[in-house]
């Protein structure tokens, strides 16, 4: 009986030692697990998805001030460029945000924004809708509608009570040809958005370099009551909208093919002779 008791005590002791060892191992591994989690968060922020906070009303009602959006940063790595209708985040192309106050985050906010767990408060970024890409002609006459390559856009996303174009002398009336590698962007709250229209006198002419684009905003992630996706509106899929873009490559291809066809026919005639 005593041996049995001693045996039981020995087993209990071994079990206790094993439990303590497991507990100590967990606490030793915890810093490693935290480090891996932070590294993954940093990689996701750098290459995949990043959160951004909406600082103004320029994209109402699509986006409200204080919304948090998730931005796709992956597809640009594969050569994808912004398309008409997309809502994009881009770096300030040339003092568009001059005079705008920049919040001063505390140390914790800086750390969380660095790894992508919260939006950055210090980055000078803007968010607008792409309405014109390289080669497009974008035009506003009177109060609208907005014309892209001569096609009128139906824009239900424009803020209620706004007109598609602003009938003012400061930039609301325009006709521009978007250079290759550039974008023409406008806010959905047309009468409350300092977008491409109002930077035409800047060195960049109001155009946003494609290289300045951080990525496409594809979902409103916060607050939960505002959760929704940000698809490209149907109006940007209408026939003929990209006609000006597709005609040039087709014409060039045809022009290049003509000499080859003529040469081939001459060669065939000589062979027959």
């Amino acid at each position: 009986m005593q041996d049995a008791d001693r045996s039981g005590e020995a087993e209990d002791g071994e079990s206790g030692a094993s439990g303590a060892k497991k507990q100590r191992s967990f606490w030793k591994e915890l810093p490693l697990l935290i480090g891996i989690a932070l590294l993954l968060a940093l990689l996701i922020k750098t290459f995949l998805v990043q959160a951004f906070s909406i600082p103004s009303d320029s994209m109402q009602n699509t986006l409200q001030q204080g919304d948090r959006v998730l931005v796709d940063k992956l597809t640009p790595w594969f050569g994808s460029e912004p398309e008409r209708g997309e809502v994009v985040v881009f770096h300030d192309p040339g003092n568009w945000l001059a005079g705008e106050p920049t919040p001063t985050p505390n140390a914790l906010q800086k750390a969380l924004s660095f790894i992508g767990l919260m939006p950055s408060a210090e980055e000078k970024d803007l968010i607008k809708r792409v309405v014109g890409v390289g080669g497009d002609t974008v035009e506003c006459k009177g109060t609208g509608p907005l014309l892209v390559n001569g096609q009128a856009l139906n824009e239900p996303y424009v803020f209620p009570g706004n007109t598609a174009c602003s009938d003012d002398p400061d930039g609301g009336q325009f006709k521009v040809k978007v250079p290759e590698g550039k974008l023409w962007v406008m806010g959905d709250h047309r009468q409350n958005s300092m977008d491409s229209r109002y930077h035409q006198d800047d060195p960049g002419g109001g155009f946003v370099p494609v290289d300045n684009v951080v990525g496409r905003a594809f979902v409103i992630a916060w607050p939960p009551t505002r959760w929704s996706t940000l698809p490209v509106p149907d109006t940007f899929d209408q026939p003929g909208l990209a006609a000006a873009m597709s005609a040039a490559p087709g014409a060039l291809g045809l022009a290049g093919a003509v000499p080859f066809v003529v040469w081939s026919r001459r060669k065939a005639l000589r062979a027959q002779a």
Side-chain angles (χ1 to χ4, degrees), residues 39-132:
L39 178 60
L40 289 174
L42 181 59
L43 290 174
I44 290 171
K45 173 212 170 179
T46 304
F47 299 106
L48 301 178
V49 176
Q50 185 175 356
F52 284 85
S53 178
I54 305 304
S56 72
D57 297 330
S58 69
M59 282 296 293
Q60 285 182 317
N61 272 334
T62 304
L63 300 173
Q64 301 289 350
Q65 188 172 165
D67 283 351
R68 266 47 169 187
V69 298
L70 297 183
V71 173
D72 168 23
K73 302 176 70 175
L74 176 64
T75 50
W77 287 93
F78 294 94
S80 175
E81 294 189 355
E83 298 181 358
R84 304 178 196 89
E86 293 182 346
V87 176
V88 298
V89 171
F90 56 95
H91 299 312
D92 189 341
N95 294 320
W96 286 23
L97 292 175
E100 292 290 332
T102 301
T104 304
N106 56 39
L108 178 60
Q109 290 173 324
K110 286 183 178 180
L112 292 176
S113 65
F114 176 74
I115 60 177
L117 295 181
M118 72 172 293
S120 173
E122 295 181 303
E123 293 181 0
K124 290 286 189 177
D125 295 324
L126 300 96
I127 185 166
K128 306 290 181 188
R129 189 181 298 276
V130 177
V131 296

Side-chain angles (χ1 to χ4, degrees), residues 231-243:
V232 173
D234 292 340
T235 188
F236 291 96
D237 294 328
Q238 63 177 293
L241 188 64

Side-chain angles (χ1 to χ4, degrees), residues 171-212:
Q173 304 293 288
F174 63 87
K175 183 176 183 179
V176 297
K177 180 72 175 286
V178 185
E180 293 297 330
K182 302 293 179 65
L183 305 170
W184 187 264
V185 299
M186 297 172 68
D188 289 355
H189 196 163
R190 293 288 159 82
Q191 274 76 62
N192 189 23
S193 177
M194 295 298 291
D195 45 43
S196 289
R197 298 170 292 172
Y198 301 103
H199 294 279
Q200 296 181 67
D201 294 332
D202 293 355
F207 301 108
V208 177
V210 170
D211 291 342
N212 279 40

